[in-house]
Amino acid sequence: MDRRTPSELPSTIEDVIKDVEKLVHDFGVSFYRDKVQQQIDESNRALQAVEKQQLRLVGQNKDLVK
């Protein structure tokens, strides 16, 4: 958490608004970064499952061809 001394606190409402806007922006960026990372992780897991299934099918195909 941001700890400020009294002399560092915003002195005008405009400064308070800027601080709140920055806080909301930073939260939004972090929130959506986390959401995107979850989607990337899910996609990677799906890719790994597909690759594993492909290997299984190739092995089964070799068995059938023999």
Side-chain angles (χ1 to χ4, degrees):
M1 183 169 189
D2 190 15
R3 299 286 180 188
R4 299 180 185 178
T5 63
S7 64
E8 296 173 322
L9 292 174
S11 59
T12 65
I13 189 68
E14 288 82 12
D15 292 336
V16 171
I17 290 170
K18 286 179 188 175
D19 284 353
V20 170
E21 287 174 345
K22 182 179 181 335
L23 180 67
V24 169
H25 175 267
D26 291 348
F27 171 80
V29 168
S30 176
F31 177 80
Y32 283 106
R33 182 180 298 130
D34 292 344
K35 295 287 266 179
V36 168
Q37 187 60 53
Q38 288 174 350
Q39 291 173 343
I40 290 169
D41 294 344
E42 182 180 349
S43 295
N44 284 334
R45 285 191 301 274
L47 175 61
Q48 289 170 351
V50 167
E51 289 171 340
K52 189 175 180 180
Q53 182 65 22
Q54 284 176 328
L55 289 174
R56 245 187 251 129
L57 292 173
V58 167
Q60 289 175 355
N61 189 38
K62 286 181 183 177
D63 290 341
L64 292 173
V65 172
K66 289 182 181 179

CSV table of all heavy atoms in Angstrom, one decimal:
chain,number,residue,atom,x,y,z
A,1,MET,N,0.9,-1.2,0.0
A,1,MET,CA,0.0,0.0,0.0
A,1,MET,C,0.9,1.2,0.0
A,1,MET,O,2.0,1.3,0.6
A,1,MET,CB,-0.9,0.0,1.2
A,1,MET,CG,-1.9,1.1,1.3
A,1,MET,SD,-3.1,0.8,2.5
A,1,MET,CE,-4.2,2.1,2.2
A,2,ASP,N,0.4,2.3,-0.7
A,2,ASP,CA,1.2,3.5,-0.8
A,2,ASP,C,1.1,4.3,0.5
A,2,ASP,O,0.0,4.8,0.9
A,2,ASP,CB,0.6,4.3,-1.9
A,2,ASP,CG,1.5,5.5,-2.3
A,2,ASP,OD1,2.6,5.5,-1.9
A,2,ASP,OD2,1.0,6.4,-3.0
A,3,ARG,N,2.2,4.5,1.2
A,3,ARG,CA,2.2,5.2,2.5
A,3,ARG,C,2.9,6.6,2.2
A,3,ARG,O,4.0,6.6,1.7
A,3,ARG,CB,3.0,4.5,3.5
A,3,ARG,CG,2.5,3.2,3.9
A,3,ARG,CD,1.2,3.3,4.7
A,3,ARG,NE,0.7,2.0,5.1
A,3,ARG,CZ,-0.4,1.8,5.7
A,3,ARG,NH1,-1.2,2.8,6.0
A,3,ARG,NH2,-0.8,0.6,5.9
A,4,ARG,N,2.2,7.6,2.5
A,4,ARG,CA,2.7,9.0,2.3
A,4,ARG,C,2.7,9.8,3.5
A,4,ARG,O,1.8,9.6,4.4
A,4,ARG,CB,1.9,9.7,1.2
A,4,ARG,CG,1.8,9.0,-0.1
A,4,ARG,CD,1.0,9.8,-1.1
A,4,ARG,NE,0.8,9.1,-2.4
A,4,ARG,CZ,0.1,9.6,-3.4
A,4,ARG,NH1,-0.6,10.7,-3.2
A,4,ARG,NH2,0.1,8.9,-4.5
A,5,THR,N,3.6,10.7,3.7
A,5,THR,CA,3.6,11.6,4.8
A,5,THR,C,2.6,12.7,4.5
A,5,THR,O,2.3,12.9,3.3
A,5,THR,CB,5.0,12.2,5.0
A,5,THR,OG1,5.4,12.9,3.8
A,5,THR,CG2,6.1,11.1,5.3
A,6,PRO,N,2.2,13.4,5.5
A,6,PRO,CA,1.2,14.5,5.2
A,6,PRO,C,1.6,15.5,4.1
A,6,PRO,O,0.8,16.0,3.3
A,6,PRO,CB,1.0,15.2,6.5
A,6,PRO,CG,1.3,14.1,7.5
A,6,PRO,CD,2.4,13.2,6.9
A,7,SER,N,2.9,15.8,4.1
A,7,SER,CA,3.4,16.7,3.1
A,7,SER,C,3.4,16.1,1.6
A,7,SER,O,3.4,16.9,0.7
A,7,SER,CB,4.8,17.2,3.4
A,7,SER,OG,5.7,16.1,3.3
A,8,GLU,N,3.3,14.8,1.5
A,8,GLU,CA,3.2,14.1,0.2
A,8,GLU,C,1.8,13.9,-0.3
A,8,GLU,O,1.6,13.5,-1.4
A,8,GLU,CB,4.0,12.8,0.3
A,8,GLU,CG,5.5,12.9,0.5
A,8,GLU,CD,6.1,11.6,0.8
A,8,GLU,OE1,5.5,10.7,1.4
A,8,GLU,OE2,7.3,11.5,0.3
A,9,LEU,N,0.8,14.1,0.6
A,9,LEU,CA,-0.6,13.9,0.2
A,9,LEU,C,-1.0,14.9,-0.8
A,9,LEU,O,-0.5,16.0,-0.9
A,9,LEU,CB,-1.5,14.0,1.4
A,9,LEU,CG,-1.3,12.8,2.5
A,9,LEU,CD1,-2.2,13.1,3.7
A,9,LEU,CD2,-1.6,11.5,1.9
A,10,PRO,N,-1.9,14.5,-1.7
A,10,PRO,CA,-2.4,15.4,-2.7
A,10,PRO,C,-3.0,16.7,-2.1
A,10,PRO,O,-3.7,16.6,-1.1
A,10,PRO,CB,-3.5,14.6,-3.5
A,10,PRO,CG,-3.5,13.3,-2.9
A,10,PRO,CD,-2.6,13.2,-1.8
A,11,SER,N,-2.7,17.8,-2.7
A,11,SER,CA,-3.2,19.0,-2.1
A,11,SER,C,-4.4,19.6,-2.7
A,11,SER,O,-5.1,20.4,-2.1
A,11,SER,CB,-2.1,20.1,-2.2
A,11,SER,OG,-1.7,20.3,-3.5
A,12,THR,N,-4.8,19.1,-3.9
A,12,THR,CA,-6.0,19.6,-4.6
A,12,THR,C,-6.9,18.4,-5.0
A,12,THR,O,-6.4,17.2,-5.1
A,12,THR,CB,-5.7,20.4,-5.8
A,12,THR,OG1,-5.0,19.5,-6.8
A,12,THR,CG2,-4.7,21.5,-5.5
A,13,ILE,N,-8.1,18.7,-5.3
A,13,ILE,CA,-9.0,17.6,-5.7
A,13,ILE,C,-8.5,17.1,-7.1
A,13,ILE,O,-8.7,15.9,-7.3
A,13,ILE,CB,-10.5,18.1,-5.8
A,13,ILE,CG1,-11.5,17.0,-6.1
A,13,ILE,CG2,-10.6,19.2,-6.9
A,13,ILE,CD1,-11.6,16.1,-4.9
A,14,GLU,N,-7.9,17.9,-7.9
A,14,GLU,CA,-7.4,17.4,-9.2
A,14,GLU,C,-6.3,16.4,-9.0
A,14,GLU,O,-6.2,15.4,-9.7
A,14,GLU,CB,-6.8,18.6,-10.0
A,14,GLU,CG,-7.9,19.5,-10.6
A,14,GLU,CD,-8.4,20.6,-9.6
A,14,GLU,OE1,-7.7,20.7,-8.5
A,14,GLU,OE2,-9.4,21.2,-9.9
A,15,ASP,N,-5.5,16.6,-8.0
A,15,ASP,CA,-4.4,15.6,-7.6
A,15,ASP,C,-5.0,14.3,-7.1
A,15,ASP,O,-4.6,13.2,-7.5
A,15,ASP,CB,-3.4,16.2,-6.6
A,15,ASP,CG,-2.6,17.3,-7.1
A,15,ASP,OD1,-2.4,17.4,-8.4
A,15,ASP,OD2,-2.1,18.1,-6.3
A,16,VAL,N,-6.1,14.4,-6.3
A,16,VAL,CA,-6.8,13.2,-5.8
A,16,VAL,C,-7.4,12.5,-7.0
A,16,VAL,O,-7.3,11.2,-7.1
A,16,VAL,CB,-7.8,13.6,-4.8
A,16,VAL,CG1,-8.7,12.4,-4.4
A,16,VAL,CG2,-7.2,14.2,-3.6
A,17,ILE,N,-8.0,13.2,-7.9
A,17,ILE,CA,-8.6,12.5,-9.1
A,17,ILE,C,-7.6,11.8,-9.9
A,17,ILE,O,-7.8,10.7,-10.4
A,17,ILE,CB,-9.4,13.6,-9.9
A,17,ILE,CG1,-10.7,14.0,-9.2
A,17,ILE,CG2,-9.8,13.0,-11.3
A,17,ILE,CD1,-11.4,15.2,-9.8
A,18,LYS,N,-6.4,12.5,-10.1
A,18,LYS,CA,-5.3,11.8,-10.9
A,18,LYS,C,-4.9,10.6,-10.2
A,18,LYS,O,-4.6,9.6,-10.8
A,18,LYS,CB,-4.2,12.8,-11.1
A,18,LYS,CG,-4.4,13.9,-12.1
A,18,LYS,CD,-3.2,14.8,-12.1
A,18,LYS,CE,-3.5,16.0,-13.0
A,18,LYS,NZ,-2.4,17.0,-13.0
A,19,ASP,N,-4.7,10.6,-8.9
A,19,ASP,CA,-4.3,9.5,-8.1
A,19,ASP,C,-5.3,8.3,-8.2
A,19,ASP,O,-4.9,7.2,-8.4
A,19,ASP,CB,-4.1,9.8,-6.6
A,19,ASP,CG,-2.8,10.6,-6.4
A,19,ASP,OD1,-2.0,10.7,-7.3
A,19,ASP,OD2,-2.6,11.0,-5.2
A,20,VAL,N,-6.6,8.7,-8.1
A,20,VAL,CA,-7.7,7.6,-8.3
A,20,VAL,C,-7.7,7.1,-9.7
A,20,VAL,O,-7.8,5.8,-9.9
A,20,VAL,CB,-9.0,8.2,-7.9
A,20,VAL,CG1,-10.1,7.2,-8.2
A,20,VAL,CG2,-9.1,8.6,-6.4
A,21,GLU,N,-7.5,7.9,-10.7
A,21,GLU,CA,-7.5,7.4,-12.1
A,21,GLU,C,-6.3,6.5,-12.3
A,21,GLU,O,-6.4,5.4,-12.9
A,21,GLU,CB,-7.4,8.6,-13.0
A,21,GLU,CG,-8.7,9.3,-13.2
A,21,GLU,CD,-8.6,10.6,-14.0
A,21,GLU,OE1,-7.5,11.1,-14.3
A,21,GLU,OE2,-9.7,11.1,-14.4
A,22,LYS,N,-5.2,6.8,-11.7
A,22,LYS,CA,-4.0,6.0,-11.9
A,22,LYS,C,-4.2,4.6,-11.2
A,22,LYS,O,-3.9,3.6,-11.7
A,22,LYS,CB,-2.7,6.7,-11.3
A,22,LYS,CG,-1.5,5.8,-11.5
A,22,LYS,CD,-0.3,6.5,-10.9
A,22,LYS,CE,1.0,5.7,-11.1
A,22,LYS,NZ,1.0,4.3,-11.2
A,23,LEU,N,-4.8,4.7,-10.0
A,23,LEU,CA,-5.1,3.5,-9.2
A,23,LEU,C,-6.0,2.6,-10.0
A,23,LEU,O,-5.8,1.3,-10.1
A,23,LEU,CB,-5.7,3.8,-7.9
A,23,LEU,CG,-6.1,2.7,-7.0
A,23,LEU,CD1,-4.8,1.9,-6.5
A,23,LEU,CD2,-6.8,3.2,-5.8
A,24,VAL,N,-7.1,3.1,-10.6
A,24,VAL,CA,-8.1,2.4,-11.3
A,24,VAL,C,-7.4,1.8,-12.6
A,24,VAL,O,-7.6,0.6,-12.9
A,24,VAL,CB,-9.3,3.2,-11.7
A,24,VAL,CG1,-10.2,2.5,-12.7
A,24,VAL,CG2,-10.1,3.6,-10.5
A,25,HIS,N,-6.6,2.6,-13.3
A,25,HIS,CA,-5.9,2.1,-14.5
A,25,HIS,C,-5.0,1.0,-14.1
A,25,HIS,O,-5.0,-0.1,-14.8
A,25,HIS,CB,-5.1,3.3,-15.1
A,25,HIS,CG,-4.2,2.9,-16.2
A,25,HIS,ND1,-2.9,2.5,-16.1
A,25,HIS,CD2,-4.5,2.7,-17.6
A,25,HIS,CE1,-2.4,2.2,-17.3
A,25,HIS,NE2,-3.4,2.3,-18.2
A,26,ASP,N,-4.2,1.1,-13.1
A,26,ASP,CA,-3.2,0.1,-12.7
A,26,ASP,C,-4.0,-1.2,-12.3
A,26,ASP,O,-3.5,-2.3,-12.7
A,26,ASP,CB,-2.3,0.5,-11.5
A,26,ASP,CG,-1.4,1.6,-11.9
A,26,ASP,OD1,-1.2,1.9,-13.1
A,26,ASP,OD2,-0.8,2.2,-11.0
A,27,PHE,N,-5.1,-1.1,-11.6
A,27,PHE,CA,-5.9,-2.3,-11.3
A,27,PHE,C,-6.4,-2.9,-12.6
A,27,PHE,O,-6.3,-4.2,-12.7
A,27,PHE,CB,-7.1,-1.9,-10.4
A,27,PHE,CG,-8.0,-3.0,-10.2
A,27,PHE,CD1,-7.8,-4.0,-9.3
A,27,PHE,CD2,-9.2,-3.1,-11.0
A,27,PHE,CE1,-8.6,-5.1,-9.1
A,27,PHE,CE2,-10.1,-4.1,-10.8
A,27,PHE,CZ,-9.8,-5.1,-9.9
A,28,GLY,N,-6.9,-2.2,-13.5
A,28,GLY,CA,-7.4,-2.7,-14.7
A,28,GLY,C,-6.4,-3.4,-15.5
A,28,GLY,O,-6.6,-4.5,-16.0
A,29,VAL,N,-5.2,-2.8,-15.6
A,29,VAL,CA,-4.1,-3.5,-16.4
A,29,VAL,C,-3.7,-4.8,-15.7
A,29,VAL,O,-3.6,-5.8,-16.4
A,29,VAL,CB,-2.9,-2.5,-16.4
A,29,VAL,CG1,-1.6,-3.3,-16.9
A,29,VAL,CG2,-3.2,-1.3,-17.3
A,30,SER,N,-3.6,-4.8,-14.4
A,30,SER,CA,-3.3,-6.0,-13.7
A,30,SER,C,-4.4,-7.1,-13.8
A,30,SER,O,-4.1,-8.3,-14.0
A,30,SER,CB,-3.1,-5.7,-12.2
A,30,SER,OG,-2.8,-6.9,-11.4
A,31,PHE,N,-5.6,-6.7,-13.7
A,31,PHE,CA,-6.7,-7.6,-13.8
A,31,PHE,C,-6.8,-8.3,-15.2
A,31,PHE,O,-6.9,-9.5,-15.3
A,31,PHE,CB,-8.1,-6.8,-13.6
A,31,PHE,CG,-9.3,-7.7,-13.7
A,31,PHE,CD1,-9.7,-8.5,-12.7
A,31,PHE,CD2,-10.0,-7.7,-14.9
A,31,PHE,CE1,-10.8,-9.3,-12.8
A,31,PHE,CE2,-11.1,-8.4,-15.0
A,31,PHE,CZ,-11.5,-9.3,-14.0
A,32,TYR,N,-6.7,-7.5,-16.2
A,32,TYR,CA,-6.7,-8.0,-17.6
A,32,TYR,C,-5.5,-8.8,-17.9
A,32,TYR,O,-5.5,-9.8,-18.7
A,32,TYR,CB,-7.0,-7.0,-18.6
A,32,TYR,CG,-8.5,-6.6,-18.6
A,32,TYR,CD1,-9.0,-5.4,-18.0
A,32,TYR,CD2,-9.5,-7.5,-19.0
A,32,TYR,CE1,-10.3,-5.2,-17.9
A,32,TYR,CE2,-10.8,-7.3,-18.9
A,32,TYR,CZ,-11.2,-6.1,-18.4
A,32,TYR,OH,-12.6,-5.8,-18.3
A,33,ARG,N,-4.3,-8.4,-17.4
A,33,ARG,CA,-3.1,-9.2,-17.6
A,33,ARG,C,-3.3,-10.6,-17.0
A,33,ARG,O,-2.9,-11.6,-17.6
A,33,ARG,CB,-1.9,-8.5,-16.9
A,33,ARG,CG,-0.6,-9.2,-17.2
A,33,ARG,CD,0.6,-8.5,-16.5
A,33,ARG,NE,0.8,-7.2,-17.1
A,33,ARG,CZ,0.9,-6.1,-16.3
A,33,ARG,NH1,0.9,-6.2,-15.0
A,33,ARG,NH2,1.1,-4.9,-16.9
A,34,ASP,N,-3.9,-10.7,-15.8
A,34,ASP,CA,-4.1,-12.0,-15.2
A,34,ASP,C,-5.1,-12.8,-16.0
A,34,ASP,O,-4.9,-14.0,-16.2
A,34,ASP,CB,-4.6,-11.8,-13.8
A,34,ASP,CG,-3.6,-11.2,-12.8
A,34,ASP,OD1,-2.4,-11.2,-13.1
A,34,ASP,OD2,-4.0,-10.7,-11.7
A,35,LYS,N,-6.2,-12.2,-16.5
A,35,LYS,CA,-7.2,-12.9,-17.3
A,35,LYS,C,-6.5,-13.4,-18.6
A,35,LYS,O,-6.8,-14.6,-19.0
A,35,LYS,CB,-8.3,-11.9,-17.7
A,35,LYS,CG,-9.2,-11.5,-16.6
A,35,LYS,CD,-10.0,-12.5,-16.0
A,35,LYS,CE,-11.4,-12.5,-16.7
A,35,LYS,NZ,-12.3,-13.5,-16.2
A,36,VAL,N,-5.7,-12.6,-19.3
A,36,VAL,CA,-5.0,-13.1,-20.5
A,36,VAL,C,-4.1,-14.2,-20.2
A,36,VAL,O,-4.0,-15.2,-20.9
A,36,VAL,CB,-4.3,-11.9,-21.2
A,36,VAL,CG1,-3.4,-12.4,-22.2
A,36,VAL,CG2,-5.3,-10.9,-21.7
A,37,GLN,N,-3.3,-14.1,-19.0
A,37,GLN,CA,-2.4,-15.2,-18.7
A,37,GLN,C,-3.2,-16.5,-18.4
A,37,GLN,O,-2.7,-17.6,-18.8
A,37,GLN,CB,-1.6,-14.8,-17.5
A,37,GLN,CG,-0.5,-15.8,-17.1
A,37,GLN,CD,0.5,-16.0,-18.3
A,37,GLN,OE1,1.1,-15.0,-18.7
A,37,GLN,NE2,0.7,-17.2,-18.7
A,38,GLN,N,-4.4,-16.4,-17.8
A,38,GLN,CA,-5.2,-17.6,-17.6
A,38,GLN,C,-5.6,-18.2,-18.9
A,38,GLN,O,-5.6,-19.5,-19.1
A,38,GLN,CB,-6.4,-17.3,-16.8
A,38,GLN,CG,-6.2,-16.9,-15.3
A,38,GLN,CD,-7.4,-16.5,-14.6
A,38,GLN,OE1,-8.4,-16.2,-15.2
A,38,GLN,NE2,-7.3,-16.3,-13.3
A,39,GLN,N,-5.9,-17.4,-19.9
A,39,GLN,CA,-6.3,-17.9,-21.2
A,39,GLN,C,-5.1,-18.5,-21.9
A,39,GLN,O,-5.3,-19.6,-22.6
A,39,GLN,CB,-6.9,-16.8,-22.1
A,39,GLN,CG,-8.2,-16.3,-21.6
A,39,GLN,CD,-8.8,-15.1,-22.3
A,39,GLN,OE1,-8.0,-14.4,-23.0
A,39,GLN,NE2,-10.0,-14.8,-22.2
A,40,ILE,N,-3.9,-17.9,-21.8
A,40,ILE,CA,-2.7,-18.5,-22.4
A,40,ILE,C,-2.4,-19.9,-21.7
A,40,ILE,O,-2.1,-20.8,-22.4
A,40,ILE,CB,-1.5,-17.6,-22.2
A,40,ILE,CG1,-1.7,-16.3,-23.1
A,40,ILE,CG2,-0.2,-18.3,-22.5
A,40,ILE,CD1,-0.7,-15.2,-22.8
A,41,ASP,N,-2.5,-20.0,-20.4
A,41,ASP,CA,-2.3,-21.2,-19.7
A,41,ASP,C,-3.3,-22.3,-20.2
A,41,ASP,O,-2.9,-23.4,-20.4
A,41,ASP,CB,-2.4,-21.0,-18.2
A,41,ASP,CG,-1.2,-20.1,-17.7
A,41,ASP,OD1,-0.2,-19.9,-18.4
A,41,ASP,OD2,-1.4,-19.7,-16.5
A,42,GLU,N,-4.5,-21.9,-20.3
A,42,GLU,CA,-5.6,-22.9,-20.7
A,42,GLU,C,-5.3,-23.3,-22.1
A,42,GLU,O,-5.4,-24.5,-22.4
A,42,GLU,CB,-6.9,-22.2,-20.6
A,42,GLU,CG,-8.1,-23.1,-21.0
A,42,GLU,CD,-9.4,-22.4,-20.9
A,42,GLU,OE1,-9.5,-21.3,-20.4
A,42,GLU,OE2,-10.4,-23.1,-21.4
A,43,SER,N,-4.9,-22.4,-23.0
A,43,SER,CA,-4.5,-22.8,-24.4
A,43,SER,C,-3.3,-23.7,-24.4
A,43,SER,O,-3.3,-24.7,-25.2
A,43,SER,CB,-4.3,-21.5,-25.2
A,43,SER,OG,-5.4,-20.8,-25.3
A,44,ASN,N,-2.4,-23.5,-23.6
A,44,ASN,CA,-1.2,-24.4,-23.6
A,44,ASN,C,-1.5,-25.8,-23.1
A,44,ASN,O,-1.0,-26.8,-23.6
A,44,ASN,CB,-0.1,-23.8,-22.7
A,44,ASN,CG,0.7,-22.6,-23.4
A,44,ASN,OD1,0.7,-22.6,-24.6
A,44,ASN,ND2,1.2,-21.7,-22.6
A,45,ARG,N,-2.4,-25.8,-22.1
A,45,ARG,CA,-2.9,-27.2,-21.6
A,45,ARG,C,-3.6,-27.9,-22.7
A,45,ARG,O,-3.5,-29.1,-22.9
A,45,ARG,CB,-3.7,-27.0,-20.4
A,45,ARG,CG,-2.9,-26.7,-19.1
A,45,ARG,CD,-3.8,-26.8,-17.8
A,45,ARG,NE,-4.9,-25.9,-17.8
A,45,ARG,CZ,-4.9,-24.7,-17.4
A,45,ARG,NH1,-3.8,-24.1,-17.0
A,45,ARG,NH2,-6.0,-23.9,-17.4
A,46,ALA,N,-4.5,-27.2,-23.4
A,46,ALA,CA,-5.2,-27.8,-24.5
A,46,ALA,C,-4.3,-28.3,-25.6
A,46,ALA,O,-4.4,-29.4,-26.2
A,46,ALA,CB,-6.2,-26.8,-25.1
A,47,LEU,N,-3.3,-27.5,-25.9
A,47,LEU,CA,-2.3,-27.9,-27.0
A,47,LEU,C,-1.5,-29.1,-26.5
A,47,LEU,O,-1.3,-30.1,-27.3
A,47,LEU,CB,-1.3,-26.7,-27.2
A,47,LEU,CG,-0.1,-27.1,-28.1
A,47,LEU,CD1,-0.6,-27.4,-29.5
A,47,LEU,CD2,0.9,-25.9,-28.2
A,48,GLN,N,-1.2,-29.2,-25.3
A,48,GLN,CA,-0.5,-30.4,-24.8
A,48,GLN,C,-1.4,-31.6,-24.8
A,48,GLN,O,-0.9,-32.7,-25.2
A,48,GLN,CB,0.0,-30.2,-23.3
A,48,GLN,CG,1.1,-29.2,-23.2
A,48,GLN,CD,1.4,-28.8,-21.8
A,48,GLN,OE1,0.7,-29.1,-20.8
A,48,GLN,NE2,2.5,-28.0,-21.6
A,49,ALA,N,-2.6,-31.5,-24.6
A,49,ALA,CA,-3.6,-32.6,-24.6
A,49,ALA,C,-3.7,-33.1,-26.1
A,49,ALA,O,-3.7,-34.3,-26.4
A,49,ALA,CB,-4.9,-32.2,-24.1
A,50,VAL,N,-3.8,-32.1,-27.0
A,50,VAL,CA,-3.9,-32.5,-28.4
A,50,VAL,C,-2.6,-33.2,-28.9
A,50,VAL,O,-2.7,-34.2,-29.6
A,50,VAL,CB,-4.1,-31.2,-29.3
A,50,VAL,CG1,-3.9,-31.5,-30.8
A,50,VAL,CG2,-5.5,-30.7,-29.0
A,51,GLU,N,-1.4,-32.7,-28.5
A,51,GLU,CA,-0.2,-33.3,-28.9
A,51,GLU,C,-0.1,-34.7,-28.3
A,51,GLU,O,0.4,-35.7,-29.0
A,51,GLU,CB,1.0,-32.5,-28.4
A,51,GLU,CG,1.1,-31.2,-29.2
A,51,GLU,CD,2.2,-30.2,-28.6
A,51,GLU,OE1,2.5,-30.4,-27.5
A,51,GLU,OE2,2.6,-29.4,-29.4
A,52,LYS,N,-0.5,-34.9,-27.1
A,52,LYS,CA,-0.5,-36.2,-26.5
A,52,LYS,C,-1.4,-37.2,-27.2
A,52,LYS,O,-1.1,-38.3,-27.5
A,52,LYS,CB,-0.9,-36.1,-25.0
A,52,LYS,CG,-0.7,-37.3,-24.2
A,52,LYS,CD,-1.1,-37.1,-22.7
A,52,LYS,CE,-0.9,-38.3,-21.9
A,52,LYS,NZ,-1.2,-38.0,-20.5
A,53,GLN,N,-2.6,-36.7,-27.6
A,53,GLN,CA,-3.5,-37.6,-28.3
A,53,GLN,C,-3.0,-37.9,-29.7
A,53,GLN,O,-3.1,-39.0,-30.2
A,53,GLN,CB,-4.9,-36.8,-28.5
A,53,GLN,CG,-6.0,-37.6,-29.2
A,53,GLN,CD,-6.4,-38.9,-28.4
A,53,GLN,OE1,-6.2,-39.0,-27.2
A,53,GLN,NE2,-6.9,-39.9,-29.1
A,54,GLN,N,-2.3,-37.0,-30.4
A,54,GLN,CA,-1.7,-37.2,-31.7
A,54,GLN,C,-0.7,-38.4,-31.6
A,54,GLN,O,-0.6,-39.3,-32.4
A,54,GLN,CB,-1.1,-36.0,-32.2
A,54,GLN,CG,-2.0,-35.0,-32.8
A,54,GLN,CD,-1.3,-33.7,-33.3
A,54,GLN,OE1,-0.3,-33.3,-32.7
A,54,GLN,NE2,-1.9,-33.1,-34.3
A,55,LEU,N,0.1,-38.3,-30.5
A,55,LEU,CA,1.1,-39.3,-30.3
A,55,LEU,C,0.5,-40.7,-30.1
A,55,LEU,O,0.9,-41.7,-30.6
A,55,LEU,CB,2.1,-39.0,-29.1
A,55,LEU,CG,3.0,-37.8,-29.4
A,55,LEU,CD1,3.8,-37.5,-28.1
A,55,LEU,CD2,4.0,-38.2,-30.5
A,56,ARG,N,-0.6,-40.7,-29.3
A,56,ARG,CA,-1.3,-41.9,-29.1
A,56,ARG,C,-1.9,-42.5,-30.4
A,56,ARG,O,-1.8,-43.7,-30.7
A,56,ARG,CB,-2.5,-41.7,-28.1
A,56,ARG,CG,-2.3,-42.4,-26.8
A,56,ARG,CD,-3.6,-42.2,-26.0
A,56,ARG,NE,-3.3,-41.4,-24.9
A,56,ARG,CZ,-3.9,-40.3,-24.5
A,56,ARG,NH1,-5.0,-39.9,-25.1
A,56,ARG,NH2,-3.5,-39.6,-23.5
A,57,LEU,N,-2.5,-41.6,-31.2
A,57,LEU,CA,-3.0,-42.1,-32.5
A,57,LEU,C,-2.0,-42.6,-33.5
A,57,LEU,O,-2.2,-43.5,-34.2
A,57,LEU,CB,-3.9,-41.0,-33.1
A,57,LEU,CG,-5.1,-40.6,-32.4
A,57,LEU,CD1,-5.8,-39.3,-33.0
A,57,LEU,CD2,-6.1,-41.7,-32.4
A,58,VAL,N,-0.8,-41.9,-33.5
A,58,VAL,CA,0.3,-42.4,-34.3
A,58,VAL,C,0.7,-43.8,-33.9
A,58,VAL,O,1.0,-44.6,-34.7
A,58,VAL,CB,1.5,-41.4,-34.3
A,58,VAL,CG1,2.7,-42.0,-34.9
A,58,VAL,CG2,1.1,-40.1,-35.0
A,59,GLY,N,0.8,-44.0,-32.6
A,59,GLY,CA,1.2,-45.3,-32.1
A,59,GLY,C,0.2,-46.3,-32.5
A,59,GLY,O,0.5,-47.5,-32.9
A,60,GLN,N,-1.1,-46.0,-32.3
A,60,GLN,CA,-2.2,-47.0,-32.7
A,60,GLN,C,-2.1,-47.3,-34.2
A,60,GLN,O,-2.3,-48.4,-34.6
A,60,GLN,CB,-3.5,-46.4,-32.3
A,60,GLN,CG,-3.8,-46.4,-30.8
A,60,GLN,CD,-5.1,-45.7,-30.5
A,60,GLN,OE1,-5.8,-45.2,-31.3
A,60,GLN,NE2,-5.5,-45.8,-29.2
A,61,ASN,N,-1.9,-46.3,-35.0
A,61,ASN,CA,-1.8,-46.5,-36.4
A,61,ASN,C,-0.6,-47.4,-36.8
A,61,ASN,O,-0.8,-48.3,-37.7
A,61,ASN,CB,-1.6,-45.1,-37.2
A,61,ASN,CG,-1.7,-45.2,-38.6
A,61,ASN,OD1,-2.6,-46.0,-39.1
A,61,ASN,ND2,-0.9,-44.5,-39.4
A,62,LYS,N,0.5,-47.2,-36.1
A,62,LYS,CA,1.6,-48.1,-36.4
A,62,LYS,C,1.3,-49.6,-36.1
A,62,LYS,O,1.7,-50.5,-36.8
A,62,LYS,CB,2.9,-47.7,-35.6
A,62,LYS,CG,3.5,-46.4,-36.1
A,62,LYS,CD,4.7,-46.0,-35.3
A,62,LYS,CE,5.3,-44.7,-35.8
A,62,LYS,NZ,6.5,-44.3,-35.0
A,63,ASP,N,0.6,-49.7,-34.9
A,63,ASP,CA,0.1,-51.1,-34.5
A,63,ASP,C,-0.8,-51.7,-35.6
A,63,ASP,O,-0.7,-52.9,-35.9
A,63,ASP,CB,-0.5,-51.1,-33.2
A,63,ASP,CG,0.4,-50.8,-32.1
A,63,ASP,OD1,1.6,-50.9,-32.2
A,63,ASP,OD2,-0.1,-50.4,-31.0
A,64,LEU,N,-1.7,-50.9,-36.2
A,64,LEU,CA,-2.6,-51.4,-37.2
A,64,LEU,C,-1.9,-51.8,-38.5
A,64,LEU,O,-2.4,-52.7,-39.2
A,64,LEU,CB,-3.7,-50.4,-37.4
A,64,LEU,CG,-4.7,-50.2,-36.3
A,64,LEU,CD1,-5.7,-49.0,-36.6
A,64,LEU,CD2,-5.5,-51.4,-36.0
A,65,VAL,N,-0.9,-51.0,-38.8
A,65,VAL,CA,-0.2,-51.2,-40.1
A,65,VAL,C,0.6,-52.5,-40.1
A,65,VAL,O,0.8,-53.2,-41.1
A,65,VAL,CB,0.7,-50.0,-40.4
A,65,VAL,CG1,1.5,-50.3,-41.6
A,65,VAL,CG2,-0.2,-48.8,-40.7
A,66,LYS,N,1.1,-52.9,-38.9
A,66,LYS,CA,2.0,-54.1,-38.8
A,66,LYS,C,1.3,-55.3,-39.2
A,66,LYS,O,0.3,-55.7,-39.1
A,66,LYS,CB,2.5,-54.2,-37.4
A,66,LYS,CG,3.5,-53.2,-37.0
A,66,LYS,CD,4.0,-53.4,-35.6
A,66,LYS,CE,5.0,-52.4,-35.2
A,66,LYS,NZ,5.5,-52.6,-33.9
